[in-house]
Amino acid sequence: MAKNIQSLERAAAMLRLLAGGERRLGLSDIASSLGLAKGTAHGILRTLQAEGFVEQEPASGRYQLGAELLRLGNSYLDVHELRARALVWTDDLARSSGESVHLGVLHQRGVLIVHHVFRPDDSRQVLEVGAMQPLHSTALGKVLSAYDPVAHSEVLEVEREAFTPRTTTAPGEFEELLDLVRARGWAADAEETWEGVASVAAPIHDRRRMPVGAVAVTGAVERLCPGGELRPELVAAVRDCARAVSRDLGAGRF
């Protein structure tokens, strides 16, 4: 069995200590409570402070939990609530479209799949929850890049790989593509990431009207784009699903 990393265990113990009882503690209190030498405790606290997990009150020198922990906690809660609110609507979308449905959020300069509803047939399929997709070429990624300022800045900072001859990589062309996404309220991917695969996605907003994710229908290009154009009823169904989830998150009507 692999051994636990002692420094991480001590850092976790510090965070738990600061989270309970007195919320502000001095170095001596923390060191004695955890049975650590002051130098060791101070080194761990400095690292946690540099990462934003701990803050030091200037006047007293005491330590308290930092804002980064709150951000991480809110991120977890947002994703958890997003998935819970989307379960029924994404099931309905898969049933009505006959295709796979993915729910994605921004994560580490890509799209993290947090929910996947299989295509409702007897074909063999692989669960993609936890998989990462690129921001610049997928329908989910384009929607997030168009509506989320953080995603927009991140997608411009990374190298946009040409996965197929249809992938848009040039900065100017990509910005024009995002303008089109914002103008019509949805994004498409027709063999821009994987040959033979197409998808259409729409943004999901929360009660603050902030983009928190996107939902997409994905399937074979010949089924989604007969004659070379996306089926209008699929676009409408995906947008209706995104609006329904947004309403359940408190966003009101879009």
Side-chain angles (χ1 to χ4, degrees):
M1 181 182 295
K3 293 183 179 180
N4 292 341
I5 299 174
Q6 188 180 56
S7 58
L8 292 180
E9 287 183 328
R10 289 171 171 174
M14 277 185 191
L15 294 175
R16 292 191 187 99
L17 180 65
L18 291 170
E22 278 190 64
R23 297 306 175 93
R24 294 187 180 90
L25 295 171
L27 174 60
S28 298
D29 299 323
I30 293 171
S32 61
S33 295
L34 299 178
L36 299 174
K38 280 188 180 181
T40 301
H42 187 239
I44 296 172
L45 283 167
R46 283 177 56 192
T47 302
L48 291 173
Q49 186 178 1
E51 295 297 327
F53 296 137
V54 164
E55 296 173 357
Q56 187 177 28
E57 192 177 43
S60 66
R62 289 174 173 265
Y63 293 91
Q64 63 185 20
L65 293 181
E68 182 65 11
L69 281 176
L70 178 62
R71 188 189 71 80
L72 292 176
N74 283 342
S75 174
Y76 169 78
L77 292 173
D78 285 348
V79 170
H80 182 73
E81 184 181 8
L82 171 63
R83 184 179 180 278
R85 298 288 185 180
L87 288 176
V88 172
W89 299 111
T90 50
D91 281 348
D92 287 347
L93 180 58
R95 193 179 307 112
S96 64
S97 67
E99 302 292 348
S100 299
V101 174
H102 295 90
L103 190 68
V105 299
L106 177 66
H107 181 68
Q108 294 181 350
R109 297 188 175 184
V111 183
L112 174 66
I113 304 302
V114 297
H115 185 53
H116 175 199
V117 185
F118 283 166
R119 184 171 62 254
D121 59 20
D122 295 328
S123 62
R124 183 168 181 169
Q125 300 171 65
V126 177
L127 186 66
E128 296 183 29
V129 172
M132 292 291 293
Q133 294 186 3
L135 280 172
H136 69 285
S137 62
T138 61
L140 288 169
K142 291 176 194 175
V143 162
L144 292 173
S145 299
Y147 286 92
D148 186 333
V150 175
H152 182 254
S153 62
E154 289 185 350
V155 75
L156 295 179
E157 291 171 0
V158 300
E159 182 179 351
R160 290 172 296 283
E161 181 180 351
F163 298 110
T164 77
R166 300 172 181 83
T167 310
T168 301
T169 58
E173 292 179 15
F174 187 70
E175 287 286 17
E176 289 178 5
L177 181 59
L178 296 186
D179 287 340
L180 178 61
V181 171
R182 285 185 285 265
R184 62 189 183 183
W186 55 274
D189 165 12
E191 297 189 287
E192 295 170 51
T193 310
W194 303 283
E195 294 285 355
V197 178
S199 62
V200 56
I204 296 172
H205 298 80
D206 66 6
R207 62 184 61 86
R208 300 161 295 176
R209 296 290 182 107
M210 296 295 293
V212 292
V215 61
V217 160
T218 303
V221 68
E222 62 266 20
R223 293 197 304 268
L224 269 62
C225 306
E229 296 293 333
L230 271 168
R231 289 159 46 199
E233 69 272 18
L234 275 182
V235 175
V238 170
R239 297 191 71 189
D240 286 345
C241 177
R243 290 190 191 102
V245 179
S246 297
R247 285 196 300 271
D248 278 3
L249 288 170
R253 296 185 63 85
F254 267 82

